[in-house]
Amino acid sequence: MGRMSLAAYCVVCYRKIGTLGSAWKVDQSWKDIRKIVKLTGSLILGGCIFATYEVLTLRKLFSFDTQVVQQEKLKSYIYLQTVSLDQSDYQGVIYQVRKKLHRAAKKIIAMHARIFQKPFDERFSTLDAEECDYALWLLVKRSQSNDKMVRLQAVEELAANRYWHDYQYRTVAQTSDQRTAIALARSKDVDLRFFLPPHLLLNPKDTCCLEDELRLLLAALPQTDLDQCVQYFTSLALRESSQTIAAQKGGLWCFGGNGLPYCESLSTVPAKTVELFCLQALVEHSKIPSHCNKIEANKGLQLLQKLYHLHSDSHKIQRSIIHIIGNMALDERLHASITRAGWVSILAAMTKSPRVMESSHAARALANLDREVVQEKYPDGVYILHPQCRTNEPIKADVLFVHGLLGAAFKTWRQQDLEHSADERDLDVEDDYSECWPKTWLASDCPSLRIISVEYDTHLSDWRTKCPIESYRESLAYRSTELLKKLRAAGIGDRPLIWLSHSMGGLLVKKMLLDASMDPEMASIVDSTRGIVFYSVPHHGSRLAEYSVNIRFLLFPSVEVKELSKDSPALKALNDDFISFAKNQNFPVLSFAETLPTRVGRMLSLHVVPVESADLGIGELIQVEVSHLNICKPKNKESFLYQQTLKFIQDSLKRELGNH
């Protein structure tokens, strides 16, 4: 054989040594290692074993930090490149295997010692490495430098490599620290070979016990500091096993959002497994920092990974799991546990998903993990659509999208596709949705914008069971207070800002701006506002609030919906106060009004927001020949609706965007 790379035989692969498929776990006792070596040798030569000398020599060379080894989730592995055991491929196969094993282990440890245990010296005068590996080790060393700028540049160069051999990518995966792994995961178009594969903790024989594990985890979490309806659904998940909640019939009425899915059939209730109920309850628990610590302490990160791999065919379940990880990532004290549990590689792979929901949930979690370059934090329900990876492009302004109540951060802002009626069930199937135009078109036309979309209440809509406790039907005032805190944590107010809102989300925007103007800690949000876009916002009420369909469908209006009636004192006061405030602030305002009716069920069509109600009374009003469903969904980039929106954003941010 010709000379081969010394590092080539000690790289990460899928836990195999040759064709035997056995993982060599570094943290096992040397007694176990001798058994493995003897077994390997006996399989090859029918009972022959490696020389004791080799074992003793390797034992002296290996030195690992055992403090990071905690149960199965924390085990470290070194994997050897696949070695052919075909006698025709080698002369003296035992000699060759023994030699490669010894040389590879010795070389990788010696290399690591020279690179990482000595003062930083880019010349590496004592480095004995193949020429093709010199740059790799240099970049890995620089990625762990004490100088932040050196680290950032090294990660950028690592991620930019497209011509390395497989073993070189996996060498980086084996030697990268937590900070470097997260940085690579947030690099654009990164090669997934940079990440160690997550430890597959799922035993097929244990799948039947996951339901019990979920219940035990939920039962171990505090039942305090929770909304009453969250307590209700948590107890429901603990009580119900995997039966359908047939007795819990009903629905939640919503206004606006993802195509007005406010009609729920009373004749059927979707069957939900206990896993989904438990996960949705865990999402709520993960919003409370102290509960996140409990989830981690009770091995929740490992249990969630089991569920993630088990439900590879369920985007909704996987999305709920990443939602929980994103919430836990808000606590920097949990970052090491999240990384060691193998979530960085999963998140890196998920960011490449063509589904905007999956990629955005993963991008949020990674942004919360990346404390190296991300100053803001993205609380529950606040999603960054652009940029979702590290970029050298300076962010000059923010654009914030606010959907209608019980809407969706992604589906509401999709490209116009098929005309759906308000009650069609396929609105819940993400594969039926076209592009999310803020993430694609707007990000392309204005790359220096940070584009954020918010989401709220969707967890109650997804459960589709009627909570018997009425207190969860919160008012606009409550939602305004909660969302303002989240937006401020995400850095809203630090840059020039444009608001875009659909339907009843526009009422929430008006309330937030009024509330922010009276709170010194939120005043920067008002000061940074450069313009507001309203898509069919019912400033003066809606006829829909007066309708009740009592044949097949029943509407359950919330507190906010009841405020929509034309004679609502709260609605009139909100509008009067905002007009006076907006005039004083001289906010540019653009309003779009629908002119086509929206089909509600199969028996009713109406203008959800009439033109006169969509007219705020200030700013420009544009009537568009679309329904309430499609008023915020342009057909393509050349459509009048999108071009007018883009022009308003660019004109309002002319000074910030420059030539864009």
Side-chain angles (χ1 to χ4, degrees), residues 20 84 137 192 219 248 251 273 441 454 495 535 587 643:
L20 299 177
S84 172
W137 284 105
L192 294 181
Q248 301 294 330
T273 64
W441 306 345
V454 299
R495 306 180 185 90
Y535 296 96
F587 288 149
Q643 288 299 320

Side-chain angles (χ1 to χ4, degrees), residues 609-627:
V609 179
V611 174
E612 58 270 20
S613 184
D615 187 358
L616 178 62
I618 58 175
E620 183 181 5
L621 176 69
I622 299 177
Q623 299 183 38
V624 186
E625 195 174 348
V626 293
S627 67

